[in-house]
Amino acid sequence: MEQKREAIPYSEGLKDVYGEQAGIGHQINQVGQQGRALATNLMGLICTGENFKRAHKQVKANKGCAGVDQMPVGDFAGWYIKEGEALIERLHSGSYLPQAVKRAKIRKPNGGERLLGIPTVTDRIIQQAISQVLSPLYERQFSEHSYGFREGRNAHQALRRASEYVADGYEIVVDLDLKDFFDEVNHDRLMNRLRQSIRDITLLRLIRKYLQSGILIDGVMSQRTAGTPQGSPLSPLLSNIVLDEMDKELEKRGHKFVRYADDCNIFVRTRRAGERVEQSISNFIQDKLKLKVNAEKSKVCYVNETKFLGYTIQRIGTLTIAEKSLDKLKDKVRETTRRNRGRSLEQVLAELNSILRGWLQYFRYANCYRVLRDIDSWIRRKLRCYRLKQCRRVKTVQAFLKSLGVDSWQSWILALSGKGWWRKANCPQVNQAMNNLWFSKQGLYCLTLNYDLLNNYLKPPCTKVCPVV
């Protein structure tokens, strides 16, 4: 009779599947180095307590909501103490059945909707544990031109590579758009790709179960026959495995290209070459990969006529911020400074600073000083309008302006004005009262000031691509 496997507590040390004392990081690294040598007993690595602990930490950091079972992430540790042993046994025996995925919708910037799948916390942690073990195995196989969802790689590196191609004269881009990629992945082709590197039958069956797990939409269960739910911890790795086949085809043809997740740009010298490449690769994607190319959104154009990862690459290789990215930021600022929110200025500034800090951190390599200066000015006017509206009455507005150093008669002129709040916010009296120094004392994050600091103290990925303004 097979010996019963026990769930290893988080606090205890590890033993690998062969009984030797070793860290999970060392074992996973061995998987990447030895390829198929350890690929026959991957479930042993996946189900270790330390791997589950890392997976739980990652899922908890992502701050996702509960799935169909309504269990929040914070309750998993207590649940695992009671049920962990049975869970590990079911995973090893292959009897574990994933729960249904809850369907959610989020709005796209262009007005459409993106469908997300929200697995239960238990399934998210299991999938994250699988991903942590499989990623080193596949990392050595993936293309150098792939940058999305890979350890040690990011969007800025993808932009640097793309900018280098453009600076070398490849200023025509084939911008491929895969239609509903995460919903169109062919399960049989994906499983065949997985079998080429994985010999653990139990793990393969578990992944197949996750691919085919039901979707709960408005209380009605439906079966999934294709696709990987966007929002699942395992989906990024599976998407890279699917699209790595396209990467290898592009490499074989000698193309200059950059891929980040399902966003792929191919760089050529002439429009005629771009049209030929678009037709050829579209046929490969549809006939070989069984995926759909969105002909309406895919295009061949100069690089500065489209966007890539929120940036626009100019024809000399420099980076600027795409118009849609600016519009998206302004929409967030408008929502945060909406005058009927009933929040204090301190609360609004705290929310706004978080948005601006993260946004500038991503777009710090763009040549955008003048753009940031205009945005800063616009944000200050939005905040002046917000603060004036909080005063409400004429006398309160006058007293507020006077307290900030505006002459009494000037403050009365503004307070008694019949202008709307937005027009008042741009009057000389208000600009004098709530000037740049006042906002600095309130703690407002200044884009232009911090852009200069980032360019002075952070080395750009490429001085040719990301010049200091």
Side-chain angles (χ1 to χ4, degrees), residues 31 35-40 42 134 137-138 141 191-200 204 241:
V31 173
R36 293 185 182 180
L38 291 179
T40 56
L42 292 175
L134 292 188
L137 177 64
Y138 282 97
Q141 304 177 21
M191 293 307 302
N192 285 333
R193 293 280 295 174
L194 291 171
R195 290 189 190 97
Q196 294 175 15
S197 299
I198 299 174
R199 293 291 185 249
D200 192 321
L204 290 171
I241 293 173

Side-chain angles (χ1 to χ4, degrees), residues 88-273:
I88 297 299
E89 183 63 32
R90 291 200 303 272
L91 288 171
H92 275 294
S93 66
S95 61
Y96 178 79
L97 293 176
Q99 298 187 62
V101 175
K102 183 169 67 174
R103 181 68 87 184
K105 298 179 181 179
I106 60 173
R107 291 188 178 277
K108 292 183 179 180
N110 59 8
E113 289 184 336
R114 177 179 286 113
L115 297 178
L116 296 180
I118 305 176
T120 63
V121 171
T122 302
D123 284 324
R124 292 209 297 272
I125 291 174
I126 294 173
Q127 290 187 47
Q128 179 65 31
I130 295 173
S131 179
Q132 289 170 177
V133 170
L134 292 188
S135 290
L137 177 64
Y138 282 97
E139 187 61 32
R140 295 173 179 271
Q141 304 177 21
F142 288 152
S143 168
E144 287 297 314
H145 300 270
S146 167
Y147 292 88
F149 308 121
R150 295 181 61 185
E151 187 176 357
R153 288 173 169 252
N154 55 45
H156 290 148
Q157 294 172 340
L159 288 160
R160 177 178 60 183
R161 175 66 69 89
S163 299
E164 289 171 350
Y165 289 149
V166 175
D168 289 339
Y170 296 85
E171 58 184 16
I172 300 293
V173 61
V174 180
D175 189 357
L176 291 175
D177 185 271
L178 301 182
K179 186 175 182 180
D180 301 327
F181 168 72
F182 285 93
D183 294 327
E184 295 292 337
V185 173
N186 185 283
H187 289 175
D188 292 332
R189 291 201 82 260
L190 174 56
M191 293 307 302
N192 285 333
R193 293 280 295 174
L194 291 171
R195 290 189 190 97
Q196 294 175 15
S197 299
I198 299 174
R199 293 291 185 249
D200 192 321
I201 302 302
T202 304
L203 176 57
L204 290 171
R205 288 174 179 170
L206 179 60
I207 294 175
R208 169 73 84 165
K209 290 176 184 178
Y210 275 120
L211 291 174
Q212 296 179 337
S213 57
I215 304 174
L216 189 66
I217 306 176
D218 297 328
V220 179
M221 182 79 70
S222 62
Q223 192 67 30
R224 185 169 57 240
T225 58
T228 61
Q230 196 169 358
S232 159
L234 196 54
S235 290
L237 174 62
L238 296 181
S239 67
N240 274 334
I241 293 173
V242 170
L243 293 176
D244 185 63
E245 198 169 352
M246 180 181 71
D247 296 342
K248 296 298 192 294
E249 180 67 19
L250 291 170
E251 288 178 347
K252 186 173 70 175
R253 300 184 185 188
H255 289 307
K256 312 286 186 184
F257 73 98
V258 175
R259 182 178 66 80
Y260 191 94
D262 60 334
D263 196 352
C264 181
N265 279 4
I266 307 170
F267 300 90
V268 296
R269 293 188 183 274
T270 66
R271 189 178 294 270
R272 178 176 293 183

Side-chain angles (χ1 to χ4, degrees), residues 289-322:
L289 301 186
K290 307 302 180 184
L291 298 172
K292 296 180 181 179
V293 176
N294 192 331
E296 296 179 356
K297 294 185 178 180
S298 298
K299 55 185 175 181
V300 179
C301 60
Y302 284 105
V303 290
N304 62 336
E305 296 174 0
T306 185
K307 68 181 182 70
F308 182 52
L309 302 178
Y311 283 79
T312 294
I313 306 175
Q314 299 301 317
R315 292 171 64 177
I316 59 174
T318 57
L319 298 174
T320 57
I321 303 174

